[in-house]
Amino acid sequence: MEKVKVLVVGGTGYLGQHLLQAYAHAIPNANGNSFAFDLAFTHHSSPPPRPLLDAIPSSIYFQVDLKTGVGFEAISNTFGQPDVVVNCAAISVPRACEIDPATAHAINVPSSLVQWLRSFEKRTTLLIHLSTDQVYEGEKSFYKEDDIAVPVNVYGKTKVAAEQFISENFPNFAILRSSIIYGPQTISPVPKSLPIQWIDGTLAKGEEVQFFHDEFRCPIYVKDLVAIILALTSQWISEGKQMQLLLNVGGADRVSRVQMAEAVAQFRGYNTSLIKPVSASSVDRGVKSPADISMDISRLVQTLKIHPVSFKDGVRSTFATEARQ
C-alpha cells in the first residue's frame, strides 16, 4: 500500500491535534483511496504533550523555528519530502499581532517553510495553508473569494501577505480562509480558551454576561474543517493535477456572538435572559475588529461536495463528543 507523507506544521495546536488524530485514524480504501499516511508534525517550544503522542504513536515530531527555518533540515534527513504539508501555525490572537507586528509577520508569512519546500527537486508537494476570514473588511455580508481583501488589523494584514507570498512562490497550494474554529477540546487540552467552552463556563455561573450583537462570523465546526483538509489531501494524491485553490471555509450559518451564546444556552438549558446584547463599539479590545466577515461558501461546497453543519448542530456535537471523552 502506498504511504503518503503528511507534515502538519503546528501539530500541538487546536486544529493541529484534531488533524493529526484524523490522519492517524483515516481508513485506507475509504472513498476508493488505497493509501495510508506517514505522519510528522512540528512544534515550537515545549516538547509535545504525552497524551497526543500516545494517541498517534506512529508519528514523528520535530522542533522547528518558523522565523529562522531552523529544524527543517532535520525533517529532510529523517522524514524526507512530504506529499502534503498542512500549515496550522500562526499567531492568531489579533491583539498580540498589534503589540508585536514584526513577530506576527515573521510567523504568519511562511517564508522559511516555502523556501524549505522549494529546496526539493520534485514539485510534488501540496501546501494547505490556513488563512482567515479577517482578510475581509467587514463592511457587508457573505464575502466571496474574489472580493478584494481589505484587512483592518495587523493580523489580517499578515494573513493577506501570507496568501500573496504562497501564490507567488509555490506551485501547488490550497489556501483556506477559515472563520472561528470551534468544537470539542483536544486530546491534550490547549491553553487558549475555546469559544463554546468559554460561553458554556460563563453562562453556567448564572450571572448576566455581555455579548456583541453586531459582529458576524460563520464559525466552522472543527471536524468539518478536518474533513475538508482530508478531502484536499485525497484529491491531490489520487489526481496529482496542479492545484491552486482559494476557498472560504466557514460554517453554514452567519451568527453574532449573541446568537452563539443563545445556541449554547438553549442546548444547556440556561436562562437566555442572562445574555445582554451590546455593541462591539462599546468595548475597547486594543485592536480594530471587522463588523461582518460572514462568508459565501458555495465554492467550497461545489469543489469538495462537503456541506458544513449548522451552528446549532455543531454545538450539539461538541457537547456530545466531550461527554464521551
Side-chain angles (χ1 to χ4, degrees), residues 199-200 202-211 258 260-277:
I199 293 170
D200 184 38
T202 306
L203 293 175
K205 294 173 186 167
E207 299 162 5
E208 283 191 1
V209 197
Q210 294 183 339
F211 290 92
V258 166
M260 290 172 71
E262 286 171 347
V264 173
Q266 284 159 8
F267 183 83
R268 296 295 251 183
Y270 299 137
N271 182 355
T272 53
S273 67
L274 296 172
I275 298 165
K276 293 298 168 195

Side-chain angles (χ1 to χ4, degrees), residues 66-179:
L66 291 175
K67 279 192 195 174
T68 61
V70 170
F72 280 126
E73 195 175 335
I75 304 178
S76 302
N77 298 337
T78 309
F79 188 65
Q81 180 176 3
D83 297 296
V84 175
V85 174
V86 188
N87 182 29
C88 307
I91 297 176
S92 57
V93 178
R95 187 136 187 259
C97 296
E98 297 294 321
I99 292 166
D100 189 353
T103 298
H105 194 274
I107 299 293
N108 290 353
V109 180
S111 48
S112 65
L113 170 62
V114 168
Q115 282 158 4
W116 169 63
L117 290 174
R118 287 182 56 165
S119 71
F120 294 103
E121 277 182 38
K122 290 183 180 171
R123 295 283 179 259
T124 53
T125 301
L126 172 68
L127 174 58
I128 301 174
H129 175 80
L130 272 294
S131 189
T132 175
D133 53 2
Q134 294 211 38
V135 301
Y136 298 117
E137 189 174 13
E139 297 294 319
K140 64 171 195 165
S141 302
F142 297 113
Y143 280 88
K144 295 189 168 175
E145 291 88 348
D146 298 330
D147 286 323
I148 298 169
V150 187
V152 300
N153 55 37
V154 171
Y155 173 57
K157 286 171 184 168
T158 64
K159 298 301 267 185
V160 169
E163 292 185 2
Q164 289 171 340
F165 183 84
I166 291 164
S167 57
E168 289 168 8
N169 291 284
F170 203 69
N172 293 292
F173 58 83
I175 292 167
L176 309 181
R177 289 179 172 167
S178 172
S179 185

Side-chain angles (χ1 to χ4, degrees), residues 9-32:
V9 179
T12 56
Y14 182 71
L15 176 59
Q17 288 194 46
H18 278 288
L19 202 48
L20 285 167
Q21 282 193 276
Y23 276 120
H25 298 133
I27 302 162
N29 295 317
N31 307 321

Side-chain angles (χ1 to χ4, degrees), residues 33-59:
N33 300 330
S34 56
F35 45 78
F37 297 111
D38 261 345
L39 286 178
F41 67 93
T42 75
H43 64 99
H44 177 238
S45 44
S46 49
R50 176 51 54 192
L52 176 63
L53 297 178
D54 290 343
I56 45 167
S58 57
S59 66

